[in-house]
Amino acid sequence: MSTSRGAGDAACTADLGAQYITLEAERAQPHRSFYEELLSHGILQQLTARIEGMVVKKGSCNYVAPQGISSVVKYYLKQSGADVFYEQHVTRISLRDGKWEVSRKTGPPELFDIVILTMPVPQILHLQGDIVNIINESQKQQLESVSYSSRYALGLFYEAGTRIDVPWAAQYITDNPCIRFISIDNKKRNIESPEIGSSVVVHTTVTFGSKYLDSDLTEVQQLILSHLERILPSLPKPSSIKCQKWRYSQKVAWQDLCKREGRISQQCHAPDPGCDHGAALSCARAPRQISHEKYTA
Ligand SMILES: Cc1cc2nc3c(=O)[nH]c(=O)nc-3n(C[C@H](O)[C@H](O)[C@H](O)COP(=O)(O)OP(=O)(O)OC[C@H]3O[C@@H](n4cnc5c(N)ncnc54)[C@H](O)[C@@H]3O)c2cc1C
């Protein structure tokens, strides 16, 4: 759920990960209150912009987050009243006198009554300490069966007034080995304004993501840009660019786990084979969750 800012203009933002949230008919009832709340606070808005090549399932409804997808998480964090500490890389979780001792990359370990993990499953399994021993063999097998595809995202940030002349807000690309999805992000989020620069988001195909997973980020960026130029030759030069690697992009085999665990789940169908995403949210035990039912990028 990440929203990035342009290097020279903090008001110019782009969602490099999740693009929109789809509420499917079968989940409309149990999840209605979440959507109503987020819609009434302007955190979500119905997606009205033109998305070419989008597969729309009957009875489903798509929503965008005008202030960026991270605003959904920020909204719930604010409501919780919790003190939030960012940039804390957890490395080890151990039991100490009936409490959880959490160690980080930097700083001393701290004790907690309850720990909720919402990171991608492989990252949970890589944690050190007692956490690995409290997961029994069967749970471990289930968790290990959750695998992820990888892909890259590119964010192009423009100065205010730069015109991006395309008739759509986003487009799924089906005939390019590198690029799967392009979005004029501010247009998609319905926040076009002469004062704020536009942003363009590009997602690669899963095949490209896997092939270049451990390549140099600058080289990957150049490759994506060269493909982008062929698809959109008249795209203006951006004032800044951000290239993001999503090692754990979409879940490939998670449905069984979520069903068995009886948690609120995400369901991601994608025209790009092997394009499902992230177990993290569905496996968290957070009391109030919004789920991302469908992702088609
Ligand atoms: C390219 C892309 C496009 C997507 N498009 C859509 C879409 O259109 N619609 C949709 O519904 N979903 C989409 N998704 C999926 C969506 O982003 C995820 O379902 C969602 O982000 C899951 O949220 P989360 O909070 O559970 O986990 P995440 O957003 O993955 O957050 C996990 C967090 O854990 C942190 N973390 C990991 N390891 C550690 C550690 N050791 N210590 C501390 N923190 C750690 C990470 O930094 C991260 O902030 C997309 C994903 C990608 C990558």
Short mmCIF file of all heavy atoms in Angstrom, two decimals, residues 15-22 47 51-56 62 149-153 170-174 178-183 185 188 201-207 246 249-251 267-278 292-297:
data_model
loop_
_atom_site.label_atom_id
_atom_site.label_comp_id
_atom_site.label_asym_id
_atom_site.label_seq_id
_atom_site.Cartn_x
_atom_site.Cartn_y
_atom_site.Cartn_z
N ASP A 15 0.82 6.05 -6.96
CA ASP A 15 0.69 4.74 -6.32
C ASP A 15 1.48 3.73 -7.15
O ASP A 15 1.06 3.37 -8.25
CB ASP A 15 -0.79 4.33 -6.26
CG ASP A 15 -1.53 5.02 -5.13
OD1 ASP A 15 -0.86 5.37 -4.13
OD2 ASP A 15 -2.75 5.20 -5.24
N LEU A 16 2.60 3.29 -6.58
CA LEU A 16 3.44 2.36 -7.35
C LEU A 16 3.01 0.91 -7.18
O LEU A 16 3.44 0.04 -7.92
CB LEU A 16 4.92 2.52 -6.94
CG LEU A 16 5.54 3.88 -7.26
CD1 LEU A 16 7.03 3.89 -6.92
CD2 LEU A 16 5.34 4.25 -8.72
N GLY A 17 2.18 0.63 -6.17
CA GLY A 17 1.67 -0.73 -5.96
C GLY A 17 0.20 -0.78 -6.34
O GLY A 17 -0.15 -0.57 -7.50
N ALA A 18 -0.64 -1.04 -5.33
CA ALA A 18 -2.08 -1.21 -5.59
C ALA A 18 -2.66 -0.01 -6.34
O ALA A 18 -2.40 1.14 -5.99
CB ALA A 18 -2.81 -1.43 -4.28
N GLN A 19 -3.44 -0.29 -7.35
CA GLN A 19 -4.01 0.73 -8.23
C GLN A 19 -5.44 1.09 -7.90
O GLN A 19 -5.83 2.24 -7.95
CB GLN A 19 -3.95 0.23 -9.68
CG GLN A 19 -2.54 0.07 -10.18
CD GLN A 19 -1.83 1.41 -10.20
OE1 GLN A 19 -2.26 2.34 -10.86
NE2 GLN A 19 -0.75 1.53 -9.44
N TYR A 20 -6.23 0.09 -7.64
CA TYR A 20 -7.63 0.32 -7.26
C TYR A 20 -8.12 -0.89 -6.49
O TYR A 20 -7.51 -1.96 -6.52
CB TYR A 20 -8.52 0.60 -8.49
CG TYR A 20 -8.39 -0.41 -9.59
CD1 TYR A 20 -9.13 -1.58 -9.58
CD2 TYR A 20 -7.53 -0.19 -10.66
CE1 TYR A 20 -9.03 -2.51 -10.60
CE2 TYR A 20 -7.41 -1.12 -11.69
CZ TYR A 20 -8.16 -2.27 -11.65
OH TYR A 20 -8.04 -3.20 -12.65
N ILE A 21 -9.22 -0.67 -5.79
CA ILE A 21 -9.75 -1.74 -4.94
C ILE A 21 -11.09 -2.19 -5.52
O ILE A 21 -11.94 -1.35 -5.82
CB ILE A 21 -9.93 -1.23 -3.49
CG1 ILE A 21 -8.55 -0.88 -2.92
CG2 ILE A 21 -10.61 -2.28 -2.62
CD1 ILE A 21 -8.60 -0.20 -1.57
N THR A 22 -11.24 -3.47 -5.67
CA THR A 22 -12.47 -3.99 -6.28
C THR A 22 -13.33 -4.70 -5.24
O THR A 22 -12.85 -5.62 -4.58
CB THR A 22 -12.13 -4.96 -7.43
OG1 THR A 22 -11.25 -4.31 -8.32
CG2 THR A 22 -13.39 -5.39 -8.16
N LEU A 47 -14.23 4.47 -8.91
CA LEU A 47 -13.37 4.64 -10.09
C LEU A 47 -14.25 4.97 -11.28
O LEU A 47 -15.09 4.16 -11.68
CB LEU A 47 -12.57 3.35 -10.34
CG LEU A 47 -11.83 3.24 -11.67
CD1 LEU A 47 -10.68 4.24 -11.76
CD2 LEU A 47 -11.27 1.84 -11.85
N ILE A 51 -10.38 2.99 -18.03
CA ILE A 51 -9.25 2.05 -17.94
C ILE A 51 -9.39 1.07 -19.11
O ILE A 51 -10.29 0.21 -19.09
CB ILE A 51 -9.26 1.25 -16.61
CG1 ILE A 51 -9.51 2.14 -15.40
CG2 ILE A 51 -8.00 0.39 -16.48
CD1 ILE A 51 -8.33 2.77 -14.76
N GLU A 52 -8.52 1.19 -20.07
CA GLU A 52 -8.64 0.31 -21.25
C GLU A 52 -8.13 -1.09 -20.93
O GLU A 52 -7.08 -1.25 -20.30
CB GLU A 52 -7.84 0.90 -22.41
CG GLU A 52 -8.54 2.10 -22.99
CD GLU A 52 -7.95 2.56 -24.30
OE1 GLU A 52 -6.92 2.03 -24.75
OE2 GLU A 52 -8.55 3.49 -24.87
N GLY A 53 -8.91 -2.07 -21.36
CA GLY A 53 -8.48 -3.47 -21.21
C GLY A 53 -8.79 -4.04 -19.84
O GLY A 53 -8.38 -5.16 -19.53
N MET A 54 -9.51 -3.30 -18.99
CA MET A 54 -9.82 -3.80 -17.65
C MET A 54 -10.92 -4.87 -17.73
O MET A 54 -11.91 -4.68 -18.43
CB MET A 54 -10.28 -2.65 -16.75
CG MET A 54 -10.60 -3.10 -15.35
SD MET A 54 -10.63 -1.75 -14.16
CE MET A 54 -12.17 -1.00 -14.47
N VAL A 55 -10.70 -5.97 -17.01
CA VAL A 55 -11.73 -7.02 -16.98
C VAL A 55 -12.69 -6.69 -15.84
O VAL A 55 -12.28 -6.66 -14.68
CB VAL A 55 -11.07 -8.41 -16.72
CG1 VAL A 55 -12.11 -9.51 -16.71
CG2 VAL A 55 -9.99 -8.68 -17.75
N VAL A 56 -13.92 -6.39 -16.17
CA VAL A 56 -14.89 -6.04 -15.12
C VAL A 56 -15.82 -7.21 -14.88
O VAL A 56 -16.52 -7.66 -15.78
CB VAL A 56 -15.70 -4.78 -15.50
CG1 VAL A 56 -16.62 -4.37 -14.35
CG2 VAL A 56 -14.78 -3.63 -15.87
N ASN A 62 -15.36 -0.82 -8.57
CA ASN A 62 -13.96 -0.44 -8.35
C ASN A 62 -13.85 0.92 -7.67
O ASN A 62 -14.61 1.84 -7.99
CB ASN A 62 -13.22 -0.39 -9.68
CG ASN A 62 -13.14 -1.76 -10.31
OD1 ASN A 62 -12.65 -2.70 -9.70
ND2 ASN A 62 -13.67 -1.89 -11.52
N SER A 149 4.65 -13.73 -7.08
CA SER A 149 5.31 -13.30 -8.30
C SER A 149 6.04 -11.99 -8.00
O SER A 149 5.79 -11.38 -6.96
CB SER A 149 4.27 -13.09 -9.40
OG SER A 149 3.33 -12.14 -8.96
N SER A 150 6.91 -11.61 -8.92
CA SER A 150 7.65 -10.35 -8.73
C SER A 150 7.43 -9.46 -9.95
O SER A 150 7.22 -9.97 -11.05
CB SER A 150 9.15 -10.62 -8.61
OG SER A 150 9.39 -11.56 -7.61
N ARG A 151 7.48 -8.18 -9.72
CA ARG A 151 7.41 -7.26 -10.85
C ARG A 151 8.03 -5.92 -10.45
O ARG A 151 8.26 -5.66 -9.27
CB ARG A 151 6.00 -7.10 -11.39
CG ARG A 151 5.03 -6.41 -10.48
CD ARG A 151 3.70 -6.15 -11.18
NE ARG A 151 2.85 -7.32 -11.24
CZ ARG A 151 2.07 -7.62 -12.28
NH1 ARG A 151 2.07 -6.88 -13.35
NH2 ARG A 151 1.29 -8.67 -12.24
N TYR A 152 8.29 -5.10 -11.45
CA TYR A 152 8.81 -3.76 -11.20
C TYR A 152 7.71 -2.73 -11.46
O TYR A 152 6.80 -2.97 -12.26
CB TYR A 152 9.97 -3.44 -12.14
CG TYR A 152 11.26 -4.11 -11.73
CD1 TYR A 152 11.59 -5.37 -12.20
CD2 TYR A 152 12.15 -3.49 -10.86
CE1 TYR A 152 12.76 -6.00 -11.83
CE2 TYR A 152 13.33 -4.10 -10.48
CZ TYR A 152 13.64 -5.36 -10.97
OH TYR A 152 14.80 -5.97 -10.59
N ALA A 153 7.84 -1.61 -10.77
CA ALA A 153 6.96 -0.47 -11.05
C ALA A 153 7.85 0.76 -11.27
O ALA A 153 8.89 0.90 -10.61
CB ALA A 153 6.03 -0.22 -9.87
N ALA A 170 -5.84 4.81 -17.70
CA ALA A 170 -4.92 3.67 -17.52
C ALA A 170 -5.20 2.67 -18.64
O ALA A 170 -6.27 2.70 -19.26
CB ALA A 170 -5.14 3.02 -16.16
N GLN A 171 -4.21 1.83 -18.86
CA GLN A 171 -4.34 0.88 -19.95
C GLN A 171 -3.60 -0.41 -19.62
O GLN A 171 -2.47 -0.36 -19.14
CB GLN A 171 -3.74 1.52 -21.21
CG GLN A 171 -4.02 0.77 -22.47
CD GLN A 171 -3.30 1.38 -23.66
OE1 GLN A 171 -2.22 1.95 -23.51
NE2 GLN A 171 -3.87 1.23 -24.84
N TYR A 172 -4.26 -1.53 -19.85
CA TYR A 172 -3.56 -2.82 -19.75
C TYR A 172 -2.94 -3.12 -21.11
O TYR A 172 -3.61 -3.00 -22.14
CB TYR A 172 -4.54 -3.94 -19.38
CG TYR A 172 -4.96 -3.86 -17.94
CD1 TYR A 172 -6.09 -3.16 -17.56
CD2 TYR A 172 -4.19 -4.45 -16.94
CE1 TYR A 172 -6.47 -3.05 -16.23
CE2 TYR A 172 -4.56 -4.34 -15.61
CZ TYR A 172 -5.69 -3.64 -15.27
OH TYR A 172 -6.04 -3.54 -13.95
N ILE A 173 -1.67 -3.50 -21.10
CA ILE A 173 -0.95 -3.78 -22.35
C ILE A 173 -0.83 -5.30 -22.47
O ILE A 173 -0.40 -5.96 -21.51
CB ILE A 173 0.47 -3.15 -22.31
CG1 ILE A 173 0.42 -1.70 -21.84
CG2 ILE A 173 1.21 -3.33 -23.63
CD1 ILE A 173 -0.10 -0.70 -22.81
N THR A 174 -1.17 -5.83 -23.61
CA THR A 174 -1.15 -7.30 -23.73
C THR A 174 -0.07 -7.81 -24.69
O THR A 174 0.17 -9.00 -24.76
CB THR A 174 -2.52 -7.83 -24.23
OG1 THR A 174 -2.89 -7.06 -25.38
CG2 THR A 174 -3.58 -7.70 -23.15
N CYS A 178 7.63 -6.48 -21.72
CA CYS A 178 8.09 -5.80 -20.50
C CYS A 178 6.94 -5.13 -19.75
O CYS A 178 6.83 -5.26 -18.53
CB CYS A 178 9.14 -4.76 -20.90
SG CYS A 178 9.58 -3.62 -19.58
N ILE A 179 6.07 -4.43 -20.46
CA ILE A 179 5.07 -3.58 -19.79
C ILE A 179 3.67 -4.21 -19.82
O ILE A 179 3.20 -4.62 -20.88
CB ILE A 179 5.07 -2.17 -20.40
CG1 ILE A 179 6.43 -1.50 -20.12
CG2 ILE A 179 3.93 -1.32 -19.83
CD1 ILE A 179 6.61 -0.14 -20.72
N ARG A 180 3.06 -4.26 -18.65
CA ARG A 180 1.72 -4.84 -18.51
C ARG A 180 0.64 -3.78 -18.32
O ARG A 180 -0.50 -3.97 -18.72
CB ARG A 180 1.72 -5.79 -17.28
CG ARG A 180 0.40 -6.39 -16.93
CD ARG A 180 0.01 -7.44 -17.96
NE ARG A 180 -1.32 -7.95 -17.74
CZ ARG A 180 -2.39 -7.59 -18.45
NH1 ARG A 180 -2.28 -6.71 -19.43
NH2 ARG A 180 -3.57 -8.12 -18.20
N PHE A 181 1.03 -2.67 -17.70
CA PHE A 181 0.02 -1.69 -17.27
C PHE A 181 0.63 -0.30 -17.23
O PHE A 181 1.76 -0.13 -16.76
CB PHE A 181 -0.45 -2.10 -15.86
CG PHE A 181 -1.46 -1.20 -15.22
CD1 PHE A 181 -2.80 -1.27 -15.57
CD2 PHE A 181 -1.08 -0.29 -14.24
CE1 PHE A 181 -3.74 -0.45 -14.95
CE2 PHE A 181 -2.01 0.53 -13.62
CZ PHE A 181 -3.35 0.45 -13.98
N ILE A 182 -0.11 0.67 -17.75
CA ILE A 182 0.33 2.08 -17.67
C ILE A 182 -0.84 2.89 -17.13
O ILE A 182 -1.98 2.71 -17.56
CB ILE A 182 0.72 2.65 -19.06
CG1 ILE A 182 1.78 1.77 -19.74
CG2 ILE A 182 1.22 4.09 -18.94
CD1 ILE A 182 2.07 2.17 -21.18
N SER A 183 -0.53 3.79 -16.21
CA SER A 183 -1.60 4.61 -15.66
C SER A 183 -1.16 6.07 -15.56
O SER A 183 -0.02 6.35 -15.20
CB SER A 183 -1.94 4.06 -14.27
OG SER A 183 -2.61 5.02 -13.52
N ASP A 185 -1.61 8.40 -13.23
CA ASP A 185 -2.08 8.08 -11.88
C ASP A 185 -3.04 9.13 -11.31
O ASP A 185 -4.07 8.79 -10.71
CB ASP A 185 -0.87 7.88 -10.95
CG ASP A 185 -1.27 7.14 -9.69
OD1 ASP A 185 -1.78 6.02 -9.82
OD2 ASP A 185 -1.10 7.69 -8.60
N LYS A 188 -6.36 8.79 -13.03
CA LYS A 188 -7.06 7.61 -12.53
C LYS A 188 -7.69 7.89 -11.17
O LYS A 188 -8.78 7.44 -10.86
CB LYS A 188 -6.07 6.44 -12.44
CG LYS A 188 -6.65 5.14 -11.93
CD LYS A 188 -5.56 4.28 -11.32
CE LYS A 188 -5.12 4.86 -9.99
NZ LYS A 188 -3.90 4.30 -9.44
N VAL A 201 2.39 5.83 -13.89
CA VAL A 201 2.86 4.59 -13.25
C VAL A 201 2.91 3.50 -14.30
O VAL A 201 1.97 3.34 -15.10
CB VAL A 201 1.91 4.19 -12.09
CG1 VAL A 201 2.25 2.79 -11.59
CG2 VAL A 201 2.00 5.19 -10.96
N VAL A 202 4.01 2.77 -14.31
CA VAL A 202 4.17 1.66 -15.25
C VAL A 202 4.42 0.40 -14.44
O VAL A 202 5.27 0.39 -13.55
CB VAL A 202 5.38 1.92 -16.18
CG1 VAL A 202 5.58 0.76 -17.14
CG2 VAL A 202 5.22 3.24 -16.93
N HIS A 203 3.69 -0.66 -14.72
CA HIS A 203 3.96 -1.97 -14.09
C HIS A 203 4.49 -2.91 -15.15
O HIS A 203 3.96 -2.97 -16.26
CB HIS A 203 2.68 -2.57 -13.50
CG HIS A 203 2.26 -1.93 -12.23
ND1 HIS A 203 1.04 -2.15 -11.65
CD2 HIS A 203 2.90 -1.06 -11.41
CE1 HIS A 203 0.95 -1.45 -10.52
NE2 HIS A 203 2.06 -0.77 -10.37
N THR A 204 5.50 -3.67 -14.78
CA THR A 204 6.03 -4.64 -15.75
C THR A 204 5.22 -5.92 -15.70
O THR A 204 4.43 -6.16 -14.78
CB THR A 204 7.50 -4.98 -15.47
OG1 THR A 204 7.56 -5.76 -14.28
CG2 THR A 204 8.37 -3.75 -15.35
N THR A 205 5.47 -6.78 -16.67
CA THR A 205 4.88 -8.12 -16.64
C THR A 205 5.61 -8.93 -15.56
O THR A 205 6.72 -8.58 -15.15
CB THR A 205 5.07 -8.85 -17.98
OG1 THR A 205 6.48 -8.98 -18.23
CG2 THR A 205 4.42 -8.10 -19.14
N VAL A 206 4.97 -10.01 -15.14
CA VAL A 206 5.58 -10.89 -14.15
C VAL A 206 6.82 -11.58 -14.75
O VAL A 206 7.84 -11.74 -14.08
CB VAL A 206 4.53 -11.93 -13.68
CG1 VAL A 206 5.17 -13.06 -12.90
CG2 VAL A 206 3.48 -11.23 -12.83
N THR A 207 6.73 -11.93 -16.03
CA THR A 207 7.87 -12.59 -16.69
C THR A 207 9.09 -11.67 -16.67
O THR A 207 10.20 -12.10 -16.33
CB THR A 207 7.49 -12.93 -18.16
OG1 THR A 207 6.21 -13.53 -18.14
CG2 THR A 207 8.51 -13.83 -18.80
N TRP A 246 9.17 -4.91 -6.72
CA TRP A 246 8.26 -5.63 -5.83
C TRP A 246 8.66 -7.10 -5.88
O TRP A 246 8.20 -7.83 -6.74
CB TRP A 246 6.80 -5.47 -6.27
CG TRP A 246 6.26 -4.08 -6.18
CD1 TRP A 246 6.01 -3.23 -7.22
CD2 TRP A 246 5.90 -3.37 -5.00
NE1 TRP A 246 5.51 -2.04 -6.75
CE2 TRP A 246 5.44 -2.10 -5.38
CE3 TRP A 246 5.93 -3.69 -3.63
CZ2 TRP A 246 5.00 -1.15 -4.48
CZ3 TRP A 246 5.50 -2.73 -2.72
CH2 TRP A 246 5.03 -1.49 -3.15
N SER A 249 5.20 -9.47 -5.01
CA SER A 249 4.17 -8.64 -5.62
C SER A 249 2.79 -9.25 -5.43
O SER A 249 2.00 -8.78 -4.62
CB SER A 249 4.48 -8.46 -7.10
OG SER A 249 3.46 -7.82 -7.78
N GLN A 250 2.50 -10.32 -6.16
CA GLN A 250 1.17 -10.93 -6.04
C GLN A 250 1.27 -12.38 -5.63
O GLN A 250 2.11 -13.12 -6.11
CB GLN A 250 0.44 -10.83 -7.38
CG GLN A 250 -0.11 -9.46 -7.61
CD GLN A 250 0.55 -8.81 -8.80
OE1 GLN A 250 1.76 -8.85 -8.96
NE2 GLN A 250 -0.25 -8.21 -9.64
N LYS A 251 0.36 -12.76 -4.76
CA LYS A 251 0.36 -14.15 -4.29
C LYS A 251 -0.02 -15.08 -5.41
O LYS A 251 -0.91 -14.79 -6.19
CB LYS A 251 -0.65 -14.33 -3.17
CG LYS A 251 -0.10 -14.07 -1.81
CD LYS A 251 -1.13 -14.41 -0.78
CE LYS A 251 -1.75 -13.15 -0.22
NZ LYS A 251 -2.84 -12.53 -0.82
N GLN A 267 -8.80 -11.45 -3.03
CA GLN A 267 -8.86 -12.34 -4.17
C GLN A 267 -8.39 -11.56 -5.38
O GLN A 267 -8.93 -10.52 -5.70
CB GLN A 267 -10.27 -12.83 -4.39
CG GLN A 267 -10.30 -13.94 -5.40
CD GLN A 267 -11.69 -14.46 -5.58
OE1 GLN A 267 -12.60 -14.10 -4.86
NE2 GLN A 267 -11.86 -15.30 -6.56
N CYS A 268 -7.39 -12.03 -6.02
CA CYS A 268 -6.82 -11.28 -7.11
C CYS A 268 -6.82 -12.12 -8.37
O CYS A 268 -6.16 -13.13 -8.42
CB CYS A 268 -5.38 -10.89 -6.77
SG CYS A 268 -5.22 -10.23 -5.13
N HIS A 269 -7.60 -11.72 -9.34
CA HIS A 269 -7.59 -12.42 -10.61
C HIS A 269 -6.85 -11.54 -11.59
O HIS A 269 -7.06 -10.35 -11.61
CB HIS A 269 -9.00 -12.62 -11.14
CG HIS A 269 -9.86 -13.37 -10.18
ND1 HIS A 269 -9.67 -14.70 -9.94
CD2 HIS A 269 -10.87 -12.97 -9.38
CE1 HIS A 269 -10.58 -15.09 -9.05
NE2 HIS A 269 -11.29 -14.05 -8.69
N ALA A 270 -6.06 -12.11 -12.41
CA ALA A 270 -5.31 -11.27 -13.30
C ALA A 270 -5.20 -11.89 -14.68
O ALA A 270 -5.00 -13.08 -14.81
CB ALA A 270 -3.92 -11.05 -12.74
N PRO A 271 -5.33 -11.03 -15.70
CA PRO A 271 -5.14 -11.56 -17.04
C PRO A 271 -3.69 -11.93 -17.30
O PRO A 271 -3.40 -12.71 -18.18
CB PRO A 271 -5.58 -10.41 -17.95
CG PRO A 271 -5.71 -9.22 -17.10
CD PRO A 271 -5.74 -9.64 -15.68
N ASP A 272 -2.78 -11.37 -16.49
CA ASP A 272 -1.36 -11.71 -16.61
C ASP A 272 -1.15 -12.98 -15.79
O ASP A 272 -1.35 -12.96 -14.58
CB ASP A 272 -0.56 -10.55 -16.01
CG ASP A 272 0.92 -10.69 -16.22
OD1 ASP A 272 1.32 -11.58 -16.95
OD2 ASP A 272 1.64 -9.88 -15.63
N PRO A 273 -0.80 -14.12 -16.38
CA PRO A 273 -0.75 -15.36 -15.62
C PRO A 273 0.18 -15.25 -14.41
O PRO A 273 1.25 -14.66 -14.49
CB PRO A 273 -0.20 -16.38 -16.61
CG PRO A 273 -0.37 -15.77 -17.95
CD PRO A 273 -0.35 -14.30 -17.76
N GLY A 274 -0.24 -15.82 -13.34
CA GLY A 274 0.59 -15.82 -12.13
C GLY A 274 0.70 -14.45 -11.52
O GLY A 274 1.73 -14.06 -11.01
N CYS A 275 -0.38 -13.69 -11.53
CA CYS A 275 -0.30 -12.28 -11.18
C CYS A 275 -0.98 -11.95 -9.86
O CYS A 275 -1.30 -10.81 -9.58
CB CYS A 275 -0.89 -11.51 -12.35
SG CYS A 275 -1.13 -9.79 -12.15
N ASP A 276 -1.26 -12.95 -9.02
CA ASP A 276 -1.95 -12.66 -7.78
C ASP A 276 -1.02 -12.05 -6.75
O ASP A 276 0.17 -12.21 -6.81
CB ASP A 276 -2.58 -13.93 -7.22
CG ASP A 276 -3.71 -14.38 -8.09
OD1 ASP A 276 -4.17 -13.55 -8.87
OD2 ASP A 276 -4.11 -15.54 -8.02
N HIS A 277 -1.63 -11.34 -5.80
CA HIS A 277 -0.79 -10.57 -4.88
C HIS A 277 -1.04 -10.84 -3.41
O HIS A 277 -2.12 -11.17 -3.01
CB HIS A 277 -1.02 -9.07 -5.13
CG HIS A 277 -0.04 -8.23 -4.42
ND1 HIS A 277 0.97 -7.59 -5.06
CD2 HIS A 277 0.10 -7.96 -3.13
CE1 HIS A 277 1.69 -6.94 -4.18
NE2 HIS A 277 1.17 -7.15 -2.99
N GLY A 278 -0.04 -10.63 -2.64
CA GLY A 278 0.15 -10.47 -1.22
C GLY A 278 -0.76 -11.13 -0.18
O GLY A 278 -1.93 -10.81 -0.09
N HIS A 292 -8.72 -6.27 -0.36
CA HIS A 292 -8.57 -5.87 -1.75
C HIS A 292 -9.04 -7.07 -2.55
O HIS A 292 -8.30 -8.01 -2.74
CB HIS A 292 -7.12 -5.57 -2.06
CG HIS A 292 -6.48 -4.76 -0.99
ND1 HIS A 292 -6.59 -3.41 -0.96
CD2 HIS A 292 -5.82 -5.13 0.11
CE1 HIS A 292 -5.99 -2.98 0.13
NE2 HIS A 292 -5.52 -3.99 0.79
N GLU A 293 -10.29 -7.04 -2.93
CA GLU A 293 -10.86 -8.28 -3.47
C GLU A 293 -10.28 -8.67 -4.81
O GLU A 293 -10.18 -9.82 -5.14
CB GLU A 293 -12.37 -8.17 -3.59
CG GLU A 293 -13.07 -8.45 -2.28
CD GLU A 293 -13.16 -7.25 -1.39
OE1 GLU A 293 -12.77 -6.16 -1.84
OE2 GLU A 293 -13.58 -7.40 -0.24
N LYS A 294 -9.96 -7.70 -5.60
CA LYS A 294 -9.59 -8.09 -6.94
C LYS A 294 -8.55 -7.15 -7.50
O LYS A 294 -8.69 -5.94 -7.40
CB LYS A 294 -10.83 -8.06 -7.83
CG LYS A 294 -10.59 -8.65 -9.17
CD LYS A 294 -11.87 -8.64 -9.95
CE LYS A 294 -11.61 -9.00 -11.38
NZ LYS A 294 -12.49 -8.28 -12.27
N TYR A 295 -7.56 -7.71 -8.09
CA TYR A 295 -6.54 -6.89 -8.69
C TYR A 295 -6.31 -7.38 -10.10
O TYR A 295 -6.08 -8.56 -10.31
CB TYR A 295 -5.25 -6.99 -7.89
CG TYR A 295 -4.09 -6.40 -8.61
CD1 TYR A 295 -4.19 -5.12 -9.12
CD2 TYR A 295 -2.94 -7.12 -8.83
CE1 TYR A 295 -3.14 -4.57 -9.81
CE2 TYR A 295 -1.88 -6.57 -9.51
CZ TYR A 295 -1.99 -5.29 -10.00
OH TYR A 295 -0.95 -4.75 -10.69
N THR A 296 -6.40 -6.51 -11.03
CA THR A 296 -6.27 -6.97 -12.40
C THR A 296 -5.07 -6.39 -13.13
O THR A 296 -4.97 -6.50 -14.32
CB THR A 296 -7.55 -6.64 -13.20
OG1 THR A 296 -8.05 -5.40 -12.76
CG2 THR A 296 -8.61 -7.70 -13.00
N ALA A 297 -4.17 -5.74 -12.44
CA ALA A 297 -3.01 -5.19 -13.14
C ALA A 297 -1.95 -6.26 -13.31
O ALA A 297 -1.80 -7.10 -12.47
CB ALA A 297 -2.41 -4.03 -12.37
#
